[in-house]
Amino acid sequence: MTDLSTTYMGLELKSPLIAGSSGITDNQEKILRLEQYGTGAVVLKSLFEEEIILEKMSQLGRMSSERSLYPEAIDFYEFQDGPKESTYEYLELITGLKKKCTMPVIASINCMTASQWTYFPTELETAGAAGIELNLFLLPSDLRRTLDEYEGTYFQIINEVLKQVKIPVALKISYYFSNLGTMIKRFSESGVAGLVLFNRFYSPDFDVDTFEITSGNILSSPGDLAISLRWIAIMAERVSCDLAASTGIHDSSAVIKQLLAGAKAVQIASILYKNGIEYIERMNVELKSWMEKHNFSSIEQFRGKMSQSKSSDPAAYERVQFIKNFRGYTPQET
Ligand SMILES: Cc1cc2nc3c(=O)[nH]c(=O)nc-3n(C[C@H](O)[C@H](O)[C@H](O)COP(=O)(O)O)c2cc1C
């Protein structure tokens, strides 16, 4: 019997495929379909900390100034025409899913500070969330803030949330750190049960005819796999918590690569937008047949087999220049 089950953040997953936080995971109907097609767990669409704070204050008008809102939250409120009952609905979604789903449902909070909203994780826990993922990214563009201030904020938020709940907490990060390996290790020792490497963000683009700011590609492409694959492989045997891979996982081969690198699970979003929720089933079938072909009956038999620590060529993971290896590389004739 080929067994696709794994554990992540201490949770039992029947497949390593997690539906990542996105519009695919924002309502019960889609989440039940995800479960039907064999998804291991879901991470709900993120709530913004500002939504939590504003709802606690109950009226948008009581905010003294919009300047306290960060750019994503301003977009959110312009779009939503003020705060609705979104935190209530979020808790209701979790409670409803708890009754109907067997797979773990992980709540997600998009946060940037360690104050005012941090009572809310307790409510997520009470509603029945299996875990909480903190979607935390501070774009290091404020030249007045020091490295210590930036990095310190991450740990303040983690500590504050860990104080509130007993359910496992994961941190989803970017790779914008000046000392990435060390930061991943420090985060893994902070008490979180999982680290998601890496989130993918909205990027501005330009229209060169209208001189307007436009949106870069919303969805990832398969080539985006490379960064997380390298870092999962480098860090897999060095961290004190589980790793989940995210970004650019578009087929079963990418899933297999991330498991070989050492990920406990993978998170997928763009490919579900492109191919539909049912694509999960195909990825599971293909993962299973690859395991059968290689005589693996469980994920643990091959997970981490190609991590840097287990590799016969560990330097390959740290190679960054093309010069030596690709000296003879010539463009293909057209
Ligand atoms: C339309 C869209 C909405 C997303 N919303 C969220 C979100 O609310 N919270 C979050 O942590 N990540 C969000 N993400 C990021 C995804 O969870 C995922 O980390 C990222 O898209 C990279 O994975 P992929 O290559 O499989 O798409 C969103 C992605 C997309 C495409």
Side-chain angles (χ1 to χ4, degrees):
M1 276 292 283
T2 310
D3 180 11
L4 295 189
S5 69
T6 184
T7 58
Y8 168 62
M9 299 167 72
L11 305 169
E12 306 278 341
L13 273 55
K14 59 180 182 278
S15 157
L17 297 179
I18 298 175
S21 176
S22 64
I24 302 283
T25 61
D26 68 357
N27 75 37
Q28 188 177 93
E29 186 252 322
K30 285 183 249 179
I31 293 167
L32 293 179
R33 283 188 64 221
L34 283 163
E35 170 150 69
Q36 180 196 333
Y37 286 111
T39 308
V42 289
V43 184
L44 299 181
K45 175 92 183 122
S46 301
L47 263 185
F48 282 91
E49 72 170 45
E50 297 273 1
E51 285 177 77
I52 301 167
I53 296 167
L54 285 173
E55 254 181 62
K56 189 77 178 167
M57 295 170 80
S58 77
Q59 285 176 3
L60 184 62
R62 285 166 64 183
M63 286 295 290
S64 57
S65 160
E66 264 207 345
R67 273 176 306 209
S68 64
L69 297 176
Y70 52 86
E72 285 86 348
I74 291 170
D75 286 350
F76 180 84
Y77 284 107
E78 281 173 357
F79 177 69
Q80 295 273 322
D81 195 23
K84 301 273 190 309
E85 295 293 302
S86 54
T87 56
Y88 177 75
E89 282 169 14
Y90 205 80
L91 296 171
E92 285 275 284
L93 176 63
I94 294 170
T95 312
L97 289 169
K98 177 87 180 160
K99 291 184 197 135
K100 294 191 172 164
C101 271
T102 55
M103 70 177 166
V105 173
I106 300 167
S108 167
I109 301 176
N110 182 322
C111 49
M112 297 180 84
T113 69
S115 65
Q116 294 184 71
W117 66 271
T118 49
Y119 73 93
F120 194 66
T122 319
E123 300 199 6
L124 295 170
E125 181 171 46
T126 309
I132 296 173
E133 184 177 281
L134 300 174
N135 171 16
L136 212 179
F137 178 42
L138 309 172
L139 187 77
S141 60
D142 184 344
L143 306 187
R144 295 161 304 181
R145 285 184 87 179
T146 64
L147 180 66
D148 284 350
E149 282 175 317
Y150 269 117
E151 293 183 355
T153 304
Y154 283 84
F155 291 99
Q156 282 163 17
I157 294 173
I158 294 167
N159 290 339
E160 202 51 48
V161 173
L162 289 177
K163 268 196 259 165
Q164 311 295 332
V165 290
K166 292 196 178 63
I167 51 173
V169 175
L171 179 67
K172 185 181 193 185
I173 57 170
S174 75
Y175 46 82
Y176 289 94
F177 289 102
S178 54
N179 200 352
L180 183 57
T182 306
M183 283 305 286
I184 292 173
K185 183 153 174 54
R186 285 179 61 202
F187 285 139
S188 82
E189 291 163 356
S190 68
V192 297
L195 273 176
V196 186
L197 311 185
F198 298 104
N199 204 349
R200 183 169 184 277
F201 302 96
Y202 164 84
S203 298
D205 199 356
F206 295 160
D207 183 319
V208 295
D209 290 318
T210 62
F211 305 101
E212 283 170 355
I213 300 171
T214 59
S215 167
N217 290 334
I218 304 284
L219 302 182
S220 67
S221 55
D224 294 329
L225 179 78
I227 297 175
S228 64
L229 185 65
R230 181 198 290 258
W231 283 98
I232 294 272
I234 291 176
M235 297 308 297
E237 312 287 337
R238 298 178 175 170
V239 287
S240 309
C241 70
D242 292 342
L243 295 182
S246 164
T247 296
I249 298 164
H250 283 227
D251 55 24
S252 54
S253 152
V255 176
I256 294 162
K257 287 178 191 177
Q258 292 287 16
L259 296 171
L260 283 168
K264 282 270 198 155
V266 302
Q267 296 195 1
I268 52 176
S270 292
I271 196 60
L272 299 180
Y273 277 95
K274 284 186 188 162
N275 290 0
I277 285 171
E278 57 276 19
Y279 189 65
I280 290 259
E281 188 170 46
R282 177 163 158 195
M283 289 171 102
N284 273 332
V285 167
E286 290 179 1
L287 170 60
K288 205 168 190 175
S289 44
W290 175 86
M291 286 169 65
E292 281 159 5
K293 182 174 155 198
H294 293 275
N295 293 318
F296 295 125
S297 56
S298 73
I299 302 274
E300 276 311 302
Q301 286 174 356
F302 67 93
R303 193 180 66 79
K305 195 176 162 61
M306 295 192 67
S307 65
Q308 187 184 32
S309 310
K310 297 201 177 128
S311 170
S312 54
D313 182 14
Y317 298 76
E318 288 175 19
R319 205 166 280 144
V320 288
Q321 303 297 349
F322 290 109
I323 299 169
K324 187 159 151 258
N325 285 287
F326 295 91
R327 197 162 272 159
Y329 182 79
T330 48
Q332 287 187 339
E333 299 282 328
T334 49

